[in-house]
Amino acid sequence: MRAENVFLKIMLWAYLVIFFGYLLGPLIVMSITAFNSPSFPKMTPWECLTFEWFDVLANDTRILNGIENSLIVGVGTVILSVIMGLAAALLLTQIWPKLRATYYTVVIAPILIPGVVLGISTLVFWDRISVMLGMSTGSILHNGIFLTILGQSTFIASYCMLVFVARLQRFDTGLTEAALDLGATHVQAFWKILLPFMKPAIGSAAVLAFLASFENYNTTTFTFGKFPTLTIELAQKVRYGINPSISSLAFIIIALTIFGALIHEVYRRHQQLALANGAPVSAVSGRVQLPRILRGNPAAIILILLALGGFSTIWFAQTYSPDVCKMDVREQKRLIQEERIRAIREQRQLEMQQKQQGSGASGGSTSAPSATQSPGQGAFGNVFKPDNLDRSTTEPKVDKPAQSPGKGAFGDVFAPNNLDKAAPKEE
């Protein structure tokens, strides 16, 4: 039994390593390439530690403009999607039970529709609306940010609704009914009872909506107009080649995501400790006690360590210069290139010598004289000679039977007076 348990543990750890390696491996590789000096993102061979690609990213106006547009679109999508998703979830709990399945299917349908279809339909629909209203092409209905927010909200609101429905399943409707019985209005019952209960779901739905909007490409590619988002800019840059500044952007996004997750975990654990009966304290006197927020909260410790590491990295980046390392790498590349050129030249010289030796050895056996040719004749004789058609110069004269003057090869058959010959006289 013990051997089986050990085997199962080994298999479990192997599965976890493969699983997380598959998920996080590309992110780790891309993060490492942000600190390598080559102009194309690659992890091996490692050349020099550098932070210049972060400066290149900071000076890339297209990327910065795309990030700004993505943030604006993300905030607008969050507001619209959360409102529509919450309204749809509340209506789902209040609608007639026999219609809930149909209503649920209709609300979830945008998730199943391809993003390309949603983008095209959004663009065409609002263009027709602007034509019907007589608006010009510069109106808000043709604005890229406005159309992108509407196009993304059509399916992101469905995600938000699913989050709200999951939260409402644990809500006790008796609380709202009691508030109404005590004289509260429906608006007061919503703001005082239902909304505080839905706050965690609202926060989760807002984060989900922002992330879905920030990374969306299929719908946005038809609606962005003159306001390209970050995903659009990245897709356009990839067509013409990329540099490690894209890796530095990925590293920043990954770092912000990790910090956000740790902050959320710290806040959640702090709430759990606040709701507990008593704060955990050290039972042994004389121990050095951590601050209250760090007790029983490893996420806070990891967050502090990462923050210290980040500040140390920033300070090191300000003082470190990779110029000497780059010069050494450039010199090594030059030497390697010269060595390769020298090897290629030696190989070519060796091949030429072998060819010359081979032609010299075979010269006596292959250069035997062939049939005697007349002077001036080539391999094809006099075929291409200018006076080739002059048979009198190339063919020997052959004695032919003598012919009477004026007769050809057929005698007098074709003579003009052939038929006028008189018949022979009889004596």
Side-chain angles (χ1 to χ4, degrees):
M1 294 295 294
R2 184 175 298 176
E4 293 181 357
N5 293 333
V6 173
F7 178 74
L8 290 176
K9 289 182 179 179
I10 294 175
M11 293 298 295
L12 178 61
W13 280 104
Y15 170 76
L16 292 177
V17 170
I18 295 174
F19 178 75
F20 286 105
Y22 173 76
L23 291 180
L24 304 179
L27 301 180
I28 295 174
V29 171
M30 179 168 283
S31 300
I32 294 175
T33 58
F35 300 94
N36 199 4
S37 59
S39 58
F40 185 80
K42 59 181 179 179
M43 188 175 65
T44 57
W46 183 266
E47 294 185 0
C48 297
L49 176 65
T50 181
F51 299 91
E52 64 175 339
W53 302 117
F54 292 89
D55 294 334
V56 174
L57 177 65
N59 296 323
D60 195 334
T61 56
R62 292 183 57 184
I63 294 295
L64 297 179
N65 183 48
I67 293 174
E68 181 182 357
N69 294 333
S70 295
L71 293 176
I72 296 174
V73 171
V75 172
T77 303
V78 166
I79 295 174
L80 189 59
S81 299
V82 169
I83 293 175
M84 292 192 301
L86 182 58
L90 293 176
L91 182 60
L92 182 64
T93 59
Q94 302 295 329
I95 201 172
W96 192 32
K98 293 184 178 181
L99 294 178
R100 286 179 183 175
T102 304
Y103 175 77
Y104 181 82
T105 303
V106 172
V107 177
I108 294 299
I111 299 179
L112 307 177
I113 299 176
V116 175
V117 177
L118 291 176
I120 296 175
S121 60
T122 301
L123 183 65
V124 173
F125 176 78
W126 290 104
D127 179 72
R128 294 298 91 193
I129 293 296
S130 65
V131 172
M132 292 174 58
L133 298 177
M135 295 183 176
S136 62
T137 55
S139 63
I140 189 174
L141 296 183
H142 289 91
N143 185 271
I145 293 180
F146 177 76
L147 292 177
T148 303
I149 292 174
L150 293 180
Q152 293 182 359
S153 300
T154 54
F155 68 95
I156 295 178
S158 301
Y159 293 136
C160 297
M161 189 206 71
L162 294 177
V163 176
F164 293 138
V165 168
R167 181 67 175 175
L168 286 173
Q169 289 178 353
R170 294 184 291 172
F171 179 68
D172 186 5
T173 57
L175 298 176
T176 305
E177 294 176 357
L180 295 175
D181 292 339
L182 294 175
T185 62
H186 289 279
V187 176
Q188 292 175 341
F190 174 78
W191 284 101
K192 298 294 184 180
I193 297 175
L194 183 59
L195 192 60
F197 178 79
M198 297 295 294
K199 279 185 179 180
I202 293 175
S204 301
V207 173
L208 177 63
F210 181 81
L211 294 179
S213 172
F214 195 82
E215 59 87 22
N216 182 262
Y217 175 78
N218 295 334
T219 303
T220 309
T221 189
F222 294 97
T223 58
F224 69 90
K226 298 180 180 179
F227 301 93
T229 59
L230 178 61
T231 55
I232 301 298
E233 291 290 358
L234 291 178
Q236 293 178 354
K237 289 177 71 67
V238 168
R239 296 177 183 176
Y240 304 102
I242 59 176
N243 54 34
S245 63
I246 305 300
S247 300
S248 63
L249 175 62
F251 176 78
I252 293 174
I253 294 175
I254 293 170
L256 292 177
T257 303
I258 294 175
F259 272 97
L262 290 174
I263 291 173
H264 174 72
E265 184 66 17
V266 170
Y267 177 74
R268 189 181 66 83
R269 287 180 176 268
H270 182 66
Q271 281 187 332
Q272 290 178 353
L273 293 176
L275 295 175
N277 294 329
V281 295
S282 177
V284 181
S285 59
R287 285 187 180 179
V288 178
Q289 297 184 1
L290 295 173
R292 185 175 180 181
I293 192 174
L294 299 180
R295 299 173 192 168
N297 196 346
I301 299 175
I302 297 174
L303 181 61
I304 292 175
L305 293 177
L306 288 179
L308 293 176
F311 287 121
S312 302
T313 303
I314 294 174
W315 174 81
F316 180 73
Q318 297 296 327
T319 58
Y320 171 73
S321 178
D323 295 336
V324 177
C325 178
K326 287 183 178 180
M327 291 179 63
D328 294 339
V329 171
R330 193 179 298 111
E331 182 66 19
Q332 292 177 3
K333 289 182 177 180
R334 187 184 66 80
L335 294 176
I336 293 173
Q337 186 176 6
E338 291 180 354
E339 185 66 24
R340 290 179 178 177
I341 293 174
R342 187 182 303 109
I344 292 173
R345 288 178 178 175
E346 292 177 355
Q347 182 68 22
R348 289 182 178 178
Q349 291 178 359
L350 181 61
E351 291 177 356
M352 292 177 64
Q353 292 177 0
Q354 291 177 354
K355 288 182 179 179
Q356 291 177 359
Q357 293 176 359
S359 61
S362 61
S365 59
T366 59
S367 60
S370 58
T372 305
Q373 297 178 352
S374 61
Q377 291 183 351
F380 298 94
N382 295 328
V383 175
F384 299 102
K385 193 174 181 180
D387 56 351
N388 181 35
L389 299 179
D390 190 358
R391 308 293 295 180
S392 62
T393 60
T394 60
E395 294 182 355
K397 295 183 178 180
V398 179
D399 295 335
K400 295 183 180 179
Q403 296 178 356
S404 61
K407 291 185 178 181
F410 298 94
D412 296 330
V413 174
F414 298 101
N417 56 355
N418 183 30
L419 299 179
D420 297 336
K421 287 184 178 181
K425 298 180 179 179
E426 296 180 358
E427 294 179 358

